[in-house]
Amino acid sequence: MGRAVAEAAVQAGLQLVPFCLTGPLRGGHHVVIGDVEVEVHETSEKDDVLDHVLQVYPGVIIVDYTLPAAVNENAEFYCRRNVPFVMGTTGGDRDRFLDTVRCSGIYAVIAPQMGKQVVAFQAAMEIMAEQFPDAFAGYSLKVIESHQSTKVDTSGTARAIVSAFRKLGLLFSDDQIAMVRDPQEQVQKMGVPKEYLEGHAFHTYLLSSPDGTVTFQFQHNVCGRTIYAEGTVDAVLFLAKKVQEKAEKKIYNMIDVLREGCMR
Protein backbone atom coordinates (compact mmCIF):
# COMPACT_ATOMS: atom_id res chain seq x y z
CA MET A 1 0.00 0.00 0.00
CA GLY A 2 2.87 2.35 0.76
CA ARG A 3 4.23 2.04 -2.76
CA ALA A 4 0.81 2.73 -4.29
CA VAL A 5 0.43 5.90 -2.19
CA ALA A 6 3.95 7.05 -3.06
CA GLU A 7 3.26 6.55 -6.77
CA ALA A 8 -0.04 8.44 -6.51
CA ALA A 9 1.69 11.29 -4.66
CA VAL A 10 4.33 11.64 -7.37
CA GLN A 11 1.68 11.52 -10.10
CA ALA A 12 -0.25 14.28 -8.29
CA GLY A 13 2.83 16.49 -8.24
CA LEU A 14 3.54 16.27 -4.50
CA GLN A 15 7.09 16.22 -3.21
CA LEU A 16 7.84 12.68 -2.04
CA VAL A 17 10.21 12.61 0.93
CA PRO A 18 12.89 10.01 0.06
CA PHE A 19 12.66 8.15 3.38
CA CYS A 20 10.26 5.55 4.75
CA LEU A 21 10.01 3.28 7.78
CA THR A 22 9.34 -0.44 7.84
CA GLY A 23 9.37 -3.37 10.25
CA PRO A 24 12.30 -5.29 11.75
CA LEU A 25 14.73 -6.93 9.31
CA ARG A 26 13.09 -5.24 6.32
CA GLY A 27 15.18 -2.08 6.01
CA GLY A 28 18.57 -1.30 4.54
CA HIS A 29 17.61 -0.92 0.89
CA HIS A 30 16.09 1.53 -1.58
CA VAL A 31 12.91 1.60 -3.65
CA VAL A 32 12.49 3.79 -6.71
CA ILE A 33 9.23 5.73 -7.13
CA GLY A 34 9.22 7.70 -10.36
CA ASP A 35 12.51 9.57 -10.25
CA VAL A 36 12.76 9.44 -6.43
CA GLU A 37 15.02 6.92 -4.72
CA VAL A 38 13.51 6.21 -1.31
CA GLU A 39 15.63 4.94 1.57
CA VAL A 40 13.94 2.20 3.61
CA HIS A 41 14.76 2.21 7.34
CA GLU A 42 13.68 -0.03 10.19
CA THR A 43 11.52 1.48 12.92
CA SER A 44 14.41 1.17 15.36
CA GLU A 45 15.94 4.10 13.45
CA LYS A 46 12.77 6.19 13.45
CA ASP A 47 13.94 9.05 15.69
CA ASP A 48 17.17 9.59 13.79
CA VAL A 49 15.38 9.39 10.45
CA LEU A 50 12.68 11.83 11.52
CA ASP A 51 15.26 14.24 12.95
CA HIS A 52 16.80 14.46 9.49
CA VAL A 53 13.46 14.61 7.67
CA LEU A 54 12.14 17.46 9.83
CA GLN A 55 15.31 19.42 9.28
CA VAL A 56 15.17 19.09 5.48
CA TYR A 57 11.39 18.81 4.97
CA PRO A 58 9.79 20.82 7.81
CA GLY A 59 6.28 20.65 6.33
CA VAL A 60 6.23 16.87 6.08
CA ILE A 61 3.03 14.86 6.55
CA ILE A 62 3.42 11.18 7.38
CA VAL A 63 1.23 8.52 5.78
CA ASP A 64 0.80 5.32 7.80
CA TYR A 65 -0.16 1.97 6.26
CA THR A 66 1.34 -0.65 8.52
CA LEU A 67 -0.21 -3.38 10.71
CA PRO A 68 -2.82 -3.27 13.49
CA ALA A 69 -0.19 -4.23 16.06
CA ALA A 70 1.80 -1.09 15.21
CA VAL A 71 -1.04 1.45 15.25
CA ASN A 72 -0.74 2.65 18.85
CA GLU A 73 3.05 2.77 18.98
CA ASN A 74 3.21 4.63 15.68
CA ALA A 75 0.56 7.15 16.74
CA GLU A 76 2.37 7.79 20.00
CA PHE A 77 5.57 8.40 18.03
CA TYR A 78 3.93 10.90 15.65
CA CYS A 79 2.30 12.69 18.57
CA ARG A 80 5.50 12.80 20.60
CA ARG A 81 7.33 14.29 17.62
CA ASN A 82 4.44 16.66 16.80
CA VAL A 83 4.15 15.53 13.16
CA PRO A 84 0.78 15.62 11.34
CA PHE A 85 -0.21 12.29 9.81
CA VAL A 86 -2.74 10.42 7.71
CA MET A 87 -3.58 7.01 9.21
CA GLY A 88 -5.10 4.39 6.93
CA THR A 89 -4.13 1.45 9.12
CA THR A 90 -7.01 -0.27 10.89
CA GLY A 91 -7.04 -2.13 14.19
CA GLY A 92 -5.15 -1.46 17.39
CA ASP A 93 -6.70 -0.02 20.54
CA ARG A 94 -8.75 2.69 18.83
CA ASP A 95 -9.95 4.41 22.02
CA ARG A 96 -6.40 4.71 23.30
CA PHE A 97 -5.25 5.76 19.83
CA LEU A 98 -7.78 8.60 19.56
CA ASP A 99 -7.12 9.74 23.14
CA THR A 100 -3.41 9.94 22.34
CA VAL A 101 -4.01 12.09 19.28
CA ARG A 102 -6.52 14.36 21.03
CA CYS A 103 -4.19 15.01 23.93
CA SER A 104 -1.28 15.78 21.62
CA GLY A 105 -3.10 18.52 19.70
CA ILE A 106 -1.57 17.53 16.37
CA TYR A 107 -3.41 17.42 13.05
CA ALA A 108 -4.45 14.05 11.64
CA VAL A 109 -6.77 12.37 9.17
CA ILE A 110 -7.79 8.99 10.57
CA ALA A 111 -9.96 6.71 8.47
CA PRO A 112 -10.42 2.98 7.97
CA GLN A 113 -11.42 3.69 4.37
CA MET A 114 -9.60 5.99 1.96
CA GLY A 115 -11.42 5.11 -1.27
CA LYS A 116 -13.37 8.21 -2.30
CA GLN A 117 -16.43 6.53 -3.76
CA VAL A 118 -16.62 4.02 -0.90
CA VAL A 119 -16.40 6.92 1.55
CA ALA A 120 -19.34 8.55 -0.23
CA PHE A 121 -21.34 5.31 0.15
CA GLN A 122 -20.38 5.16 3.83
CA ALA A 123 -21.50 8.76 4.30
CA ALA A 124 -24.81 8.02 2.57
CA MET A 125 -25.40 5.12 4.96
CA GLU A 126 -24.73 7.38 7.94
CA ILE A 127 -27.15 10.00 6.61
CA MET A 128 -29.83 7.37 6.08
CA ALA A 129 -29.28 6.05 9.61
CA GLU A 130 -29.57 9.53 11.10
CA GLN A 131 -32.70 10.49 9.16
CA PHE A 132 -34.51 7.14 9.24
CA PRO A 133 -33.57 5.38 12.51
CA ASP A 134 -34.95 1.85 12.92
CA ALA A 135 -36.14 1.78 9.29
CA PHE A 136 -34.93 -1.83 9.05
CA ALA A 137 -35.99 -2.96 12.54
CA GLY A 138 -36.78 -6.68 12.52
CA TYR A 139 -34.67 -7.40 9.45
CA SER A 140 -31.73 -9.80 9.57
CA LEU A 141 -28.28 -8.95 8.25
CA LYS A 142 -25.48 -10.97 6.72
CA VAL A 143 -22.11 -9.33 6.06
CA ILE A 144 -19.19 -10.94 4.26
CA GLU A 145 -15.91 -9.24 3.38
CA SER A 146 -12.91 -10.51 1.44
CA HIS A 147 -9.44 -9.00 1.47
CA GLN A 148 -5.93 -10.17 0.65
CA SER A 149 -4.68 -12.87 3.01
CA THR A 150 -2.17 -10.49 4.63
CA LYS A 151 -5.01 -8.41 6.14
CA VAL A 152 -5.34 -9.93 9.59
CA ASP A 153 -8.19 -7.87 11.06
CA THR A 154 -11.83 -7.37 10.18
CA SER A 155 -12.43 -4.59 7.67
CA GLY A 156 -12.83 -1.19 9.29
CA THR A 157 -15.18 -0.20 6.49
CA ALA A 158 -17.41 -3.20 7.19
CA ARG A 159 -17.50 -2.27 10.87
CA ALA A 160 -18.45 1.33 10.00
CA ILE A 161 -21.27 0.22 7.69
CA VAL A 162 -22.50 -2.24 10.30
CA SER A 163 -22.59 0.61 12.82
CA ALA A 164 -24.95 2.49 10.49
CA PHE A 165 -27.12 -0.61 10.10
CA ARG A 166 -27.41 -0.89 13.87
CA LYS A 167 -28.82 2.64 13.96
CA LEU A 168 -31.28 1.49 11.31
CA GLY A 169 -32.60 -1.07 13.79
CA LEU A 170 -30.60 -4.20 12.97
CA LEU A 171 -29.27 -6.38 15.77
CA PHE A 172 -25.80 -7.28 14.54
CA SER A 173 -22.37 -7.27 16.18
CA ASP A 174 -18.98 -6.78 14.57
CA ASP A 175 -18.10 -10.36 15.55
CA GLN A 176 -20.75 -11.60 13.11
CA ILE A 177 -18.93 -10.14 10.10
CA ALA A 178 -17.65 -13.06 8.01
CA MET A 179 -14.02 -12.69 6.90
CA VAL A 180 -12.77 -14.49 3.79
CA ARG A 181 -8.99 -14.78 3.52
CA ASP A 182 -8.57 -18.12 1.73
CA PRO A 183 -7.58 -17.47 -1.93
CA GLN A 184 -9.52 -20.44 -3.30
CA GLU A 185 -12.69 -19.34 -1.54
CA GLN A 186 -12.12 -15.76 -2.67
CA VAL A 187 -12.03 -16.83 -6.31
CA GLN A 188 -14.82 -19.42 -6.20
CA LYS A 189 -17.21 -17.88 -3.69
CA MET A 190 -16.56 -14.15 -3.90
CA GLY A 191 -15.63 -13.88 -7.58
CA VAL A 192 -12.29 -12.17 -7.01
CA PRO A 193 -10.14 -12.16 -10.18
CA LYS A 194 -6.98 -14.20 -9.58
CA GLU A 195 -4.74 -11.30 -10.56
CA TYR A 196 -6.15 -9.25 -7.65
CA LEU A 197 -5.87 -11.82 -4.86
CA GLU A 198 -3.01 -9.80 -3.35
CA GLY A 199 -4.97 -6.57 -3.37
CA HIS A 200 -8.77 -6.39 -3.26
CA ALA A 201 -11.76 -5.53 -1.06
CA PHE A 202 -15.07 -7.24 -1.79
CA HIS A 203 -17.97 -6.47 0.57
CA THR A 204 -21.58 -7.68 0.53
CA TYR A 205 -24.33 -6.64 2.96
CA LEU A 206 -27.54 -8.67 2.65
CA LEU A 207 -30.69 -7.66 4.53
CA SER A 208 -33.80 -9.86 4.73
CA SER A 209 -37.28 -9.15 6.08
CA PRO A 210 -38.59 -11.32 8.95
CA ASP A 211 -40.65 -13.49 6.58
CA GLY A 212 -37.97 -13.61 3.88
CA THR A 213 -40.14 -12.00 1.20
CA VAL A 214 -38.05 -8.82 0.93
CA THR A 215 -34.29 -8.53 0.53
CA PHE A 216 -31.88 -5.65 0.05
CA GLN A 217 -28.28 -6.08 -1.02
CA PHE A 218 -25.48 -3.51 -0.88
CA GLN A 219 -22.18 -4.40 -2.49
CA HIS A 220 -18.88 -2.71 -3.22
CA ASN A 221 -16.04 -4.62 -4.88
CA VAL A 222 -12.61 -3.05 -5.34
CA CYS A 223 -9.74 -4.59 -7.31
CA GLY A 224 -6.29 -3.15 -6.70
CA ARG A 225 -5.18 -0.25 -4.52
CA THR A 226 -5.45 2.79 -6.79
CA ILE A 227 -8.73 4.00 -5.27
CA TYR A 228 -7.17 4.06 -1.78
CA ALA A 229 -3.91 5.64 -2.90
CA GLU A 230 -5.66 8.50 -4.68
CA GLY A 231 -7.91 9.10 -1.68
CA THR A 232 -4.89 9.15 0.61
CA VAL A 233 -3.28 11.85 -1.50
CA ASP A 234 -6.50 13.86 -1.24
CA ALA A 235 -6.33 13.45 2.55
CA VAL A 236 -2.72 14.70 2.59
CA LEU A 237 -3.64 17.80 0.56
CA PHE A 238 -6.62 18.44 2.84
CA LEU A 239 -4.53 18.08 5.99
CA ALA A 240 -1.77 20.33 4.68
CA LYS A 241 -4.41 23.01 4.11
CA LYS A 242 -5.74 22.64 7.66
CA VAL A 243 -2.24 22.88 9.11
CA GLN A 244 -1.53 26.01 7.07
CA GLU A 245 -4.83 27.58 8.14
CA LYS A 246 -4.16 26.64 11.79
CA ALA A 247 -7.68 25.22 11.91
CA GLU A 248 -9.25 24.86 15.32
CA LYS A 249 -10.35 21.30 14.64
CA LYS A 250 -7.42 18.90 14.62
CA ILE A 251 -8.73 15.36 13.97
CA TYR A 252 -10.55 14.55 10.73
CA ASN A 253 -11.84 11.57 8.78
CA MET A 254 -12.40 11.01 5.08
CA ILE A 255 -16.00 12.17 5.27
CA ASP A 256 -14.62 15.56 6.37
CA VAL A 257 -12.38 15.52 3.31
CA LEU A 258 -15.32 14.61 1.08
CA ARG A 259 -17.61 17.27 2.53
CA GLU A 260 -15.04 20.00 1.98
CA GLY A 261 -14.86 19.13 -1.71
CA CYS A 262 -11.21 18.17 -1.50
CA MET A 263 -11.58 15.09 -3.69
CA ARG A 264 -9.78 15.50 -7.01
Short mmCIF file of all heavy atoms in Angstrom, two decimals, residues 1 4-5 7-8 11 114-116 222-232:
data_model
loop_
_atom_site.label_atom_id
_atom_site.label_comp_id
_atom_site.label_asym_id
_atom_site.label_seq_id
_atom_site.Cartn_x
_atom_site.Cartn_y
_atom_site.Cartn_z
N MET A 1 0.83 -1.20 0.00
CA MET A 1 0.00 0.00 0.00
C MET A 1 0.87 1.25 0.00
O MET A 1 0.54 2.25 -0.65
CB MET A 1 -0.92 -0.01 1.22
CG MET A 1 -1.99 1.06 1.19
SD MET A 1 -3.15 0.86 -0.16
CE MET A 1 -3.47 2.54 -0.60
N ALA A 4 1.91 2.17 -3.51
CA ALA A 4 0.81 2.73 -4.29
C ALA A 4 0.57 4.19 -3.92
O ALA A 4 0.32 5.03 -4.81
CB ALA A 4 -0.46 1.91 -4.06
N VAL A 5 0.63 4.52 -2.63
CA VAL A 5 0.43 5.90 -2.19
C VAL A 5 1.57 6.78 -2.69
O VAL A 5 1.35 7.91 -3.16
CB VAL A 5 0.33 5.98 -0.66
CG1 VAL A 5 0.30 7.44 -0.20
CG2 VAL A 5 -0.92 5.26 -0.18
N GLU A 7 3.43 6.35 -5.32
CA GLU A 7 3.26 6.55 -6.77
C GLU A 7 2.16 7.57 -7.06
O GLU A 7 2.32 8.43 -7.92
CB GLU A 7 2.95 5.21 -7.44
CG GLU A 7 4.14 4.25 -7.45
CD GLU A 7 3.77 2.86 -7.93
OE1 GLU A 7 2.55 2.57 -8.04
OE2 GLU A 7 4.69 2.05 -8.18
N ALA A 8 1.06 7.49 -6.32
CA ALA A 8 -0.04 8.44 -6.51
C ALA A 8 0.39 9.85 -6.13
O ALA A 8 -0.02 10.82 -6.78
CB ALA A 8 -1.26 8.01 -5.68
N GLN A 11 2.53 11.21 -8.94
CA GLN A 11 1.68 11.52 -10.10
C GLN A 11 0.86 12.79 -9.88
O GLN A 11 0.55 13.51 -10.82
CB GLN A 11 0.74 10.34 -10.38
CG GLN A 11 1.47 9.11 -10.92
CD GLN A 11 0.57 7.88 -10.99
OE1 GLN A 11 -0.62 7.95 -10.71
NE2 GLN A 11 1.15 6.75 -11.35
N MET A 114 -10.10 4.83 2.68
CA MET A 114 -9.60 5.99 1.96
C MET A 114 -10.15 6.10 0.54
O MET A 114 -9.90 7.08 -0.14
CB MET A 114 -8.06 5.93 1.89
CG MET A 114 -7.38 6.08 3.23
SD MET A 114 -7.50 7.77 3.86
CE MET A 114 -6.60 7.61 5.40
N GLY A 115 -10.87 5.08 0.08
CA GLY A 115 -11.42 5.11 -1.27
C GLY A 115 -12.55 6.13 -1.36
O GLY A 115 -13.55 6.03 -0.64
N LYS A 116 -12.44 7.09 -2.26
CA LYS A 116 -13.37 8.21 -2.30
C LYS A 116 -14.82 7.79 -2.51
O LYS A 116 -15.71 8.25 -1.80
CB LYS A 116 -12.93 9.17 -3.42
CG LYS A 116 -11.59 9.84 -3.17
CD LYS A 116 -11.17 10.73 -4.32
CE LYS A 116 -10.60 9.93 -5.47
NZ LYS A 116 -9.97 10.80 -6.49
N VAL A 222 -13.76 -3.84 -4.88
CA VAL A 222 -12.61 -3.05 -5.34
C VAL A 222 -11.46 -3.99 -5.68
O VAL A 222 -11.07 -4.82 -4.86
CB VAL A 222 -12.15 -2.05 -4.26
CG1 VAL A 222 -10.90 -1.32 -4.72
CG2 VAL A 222 -13.27 -1.06 -3.94
N CYS A 223 -10.93 -3.85 -6.90
CA CYS A 223 -9.74 -4.59 -7.31
C CYS A 223 -8.56 -3.62 -7.35
O CYS A 223 -8.65 -2.55 -7.96
CB CYS A 223 -9.94 -5.22 -8.69
SG CYS A 223 -11.18 -6.52 -8.74
N GLY A 224 -7.47 -4.01 -6.71
CA GLY A 224 -6.29 -3.15 -6.70
C GLY A 224 -6.32 -2.13 -5.58
O GLY A 224 -7.22 -2.13 -4.74
N ARG A 225 -5.34 -1.21 -5.61
CA ARG A 225 -5.18 -0.25 -4.52
C ARG A 225 -5.25 1.21 -4.97
O ARG A 225 -5.11 2.12 -4.16
CB ARG A 225 -3.84 -0.50 -3.81
CG ARG A 225 -3.75 -1.85 -3.11
CD ARG A 225 -2.43 -2.01 -2.37
NE ARG A 225 -2.42 -3.18 -1.52
CZ ARG A 225 -2.02 -4.40 -1.89
NH1 ARG A 225 -1.60 -4.58 -3.13
NH2 ARG A 225 -2.04 -5.41 -1.05
N THR A 226 -5.48 1.43 -6.26
CA THR A 226 -5.45 2.79 -6.79
C THR A 226 -6.47 3.69 -6.10
O THR A 226 -6.17 4.85 -5.77
CB THR A 226 -5.72 2.77 -8.31
OG1 THR A 226 -4.72 1.98 -8.94
CG2 THR A 226 -5.67 4.18 -8.88
N ILE A 227 -7.67 3.19 -5.88
CA ILE A 227 -8.73 4.00 -5.27
C ILE A 227 -8.32 4.51 -3.88
O ILE A 227 -8.60 5.65 -3.50
CB ILE A 227 -10.04 3.19 -5.20
CG1 ILE A 227 -11.20 4.08 -4.70
CG2 ILE A 227 -9.90 1.96 -4.34
CD1 ILE A 227 -12.56 3.37 -4.74
N TYR A 228 -7.61 3.67 -3.12
CA TYR A 228 -7.17 4.06 -1.78
C TYR A 228 -5.98 5.02 -1.84
O TYR A 228 -5.91 5.97 -1.06
CB TYR A 228 -6.78 2.83 -0.97
CG TYR A 228 -7.81 1.73 -0.99
CD1 TYR A 228 -7.51 0.48 -1.53
CD2 TYR A 228 -9.10 1.94 -0.50
CE1 TYR A 228 -8.46 -0.53 -1.57
CE2 TYR A 228 -10.06 0.95 -0.54
CZ TYR A 228 -9.73 -0.28 -1.08
OH TYR A 228 -10.67 -1.27 -1.12
N ALA A 229 -5.08 4.78 -2.77
CA ALA A 229 -3.91 5.64 -2.90
C ALA A 229 -4.30 7.05 -3.28
O ALA A 229 -3.81 8.03 -2.72
CB ALA A 229 -2.94 5.04 -3.92
N GLU A 230 -5.21 7.17 -4.25
CA GLU A 230 -5.66 8.50 -4.68
C GLU A 230 -6.40 9.22 -3.55
O GLU A 230 -6.22 10.43 -3.36
CB GLU A 230 -6.55 8.37 -5.92
CG GLU A 230 -5.79 7.90 -7.15
CD GLU A 230 -6.70 7.71 -8.35
OE1 GLU A 230 -7.94 7.70 -8.16
OE2 GLU A 230 -6.17 7.56 -9.46
N GLY A 231 -7.22 8.49 -2.81
CA GLY A 231 -7.91 9.10 -1.68
C GLY A 231 -6.95 9.54 -0.59
O GLY A 231 -7.16 10.58 0.06
N THR A 232 -5.89 8.78 -0.39
CA THR A 232 -4.89 9.15 0.61
C THR A 232 -4.19 10.44 0.23
O THR A 232 -3.94 11.30 1.09
CB THR A 232 -3.85 8.02 0.77
OG1 THR A 232 -4.52 6.81 1.12
CG2 THR A 232 -2.82 8.36 1.83
#
